[in-house]
Amino acid sequence: MTKEMAAQKIEASLGKVFVYNDVIAAIVGFAAEECYGLVGMASRKLSDDVARLLNRENFARGIQISQREDGLIIEMNVIVGYGVKISEVAANVIERVRYFVELMTGIKVALVNVKVQSVRYAE
């Protein structure tokens, strides 16, 4: 399985279920989208030191999923709104993402890292 096609394996009584990392990234993006103070997801690759706001279809590009023994590690690149307390927005995003990924996939989340790429005035 290639890195782009990486998946998390869930053992069930009737067989195995593979959840691709792009599916988990989509869950992460939709969960984070509802958080107050979050303007959007940013691309992992910054060109010209400017964070690019991703639309809904491209949320997975701002999210990286990896696995370790005690669960998933989720890395998120976000853009927050001007005037909000960044630490509270990040804590809310971490809690909501962890809850929804574990609820929808049954896979334990060990760590959620939120990287604030930019601050923008939310219109």
Side-chain angles (χ1 to χ4, degrees), residues 76-95:
M76 303 175 61
N77 297 288
V78 301
I79 300 171
V80 297
Y82 177 79
V84 297
K85 191 169 182 181
I86 293 173
S87 61
E88 288 189 22
V89 172
N92 187 25
V93 168
I94 290 167
E95 182 180 323

Side-chain angles (χ1 to χ4, degrees), residues 1-29:
M1 199 175 301
T2 66
K3 188 169 186 160
E4 298 85 36
M5 297 293 290
Q8 307 305 318
K9 182 171 68 171
I10 303 169
E11 297 283 340
S13 61
L14 298 176
K16 298 174 186 168
V17 177
F18 293 92
V19 181
Y20 286 96
N21 287 350
D22 284 348
V23 174
I24 296 171
I27 294 169
V28 169

Side-chain angles (χ1 to χ4, degrees), residues 20-92:
Y20 286 96
N21 287 350
D22 284 348
V23 174
I24 296 171
I27 294 169
V28 169
F30 288 118
E33 181 182 39
E34 299 297 319
C35 292
Y36 174 78
L38 194 71
V39 174
M41 303 298 294
S43 177
R44 285 185 302 221
K45 297 176 183 173
L46 292 177
S47 58
D48 302 327
D49 295 327
V50 176
R52 195 174 82 208
L53 187 64
L54 298 175
N55 58 19
R56 278 183 120 177
E57 293 79 32
N58 294 328
F59 273 171
R61 290 177 51 198
I63 300 166
Q64 184 176 9
I65 310 292
S66 57
Q67 174 77 35
R68 67 180 193 195
E69 284 184 22
D70 59 340
L72 294 177
I73 299 172
I74 300 170
E75 304 268 344
M76 303 175 61
N77 297 288
V78 301
I79 300 171
V80 297
Y82 177 79
V84 297
K85 191 169 182 181
I86 293 173
S87 61
E88 288 189 22
V89 172
N92 187 25

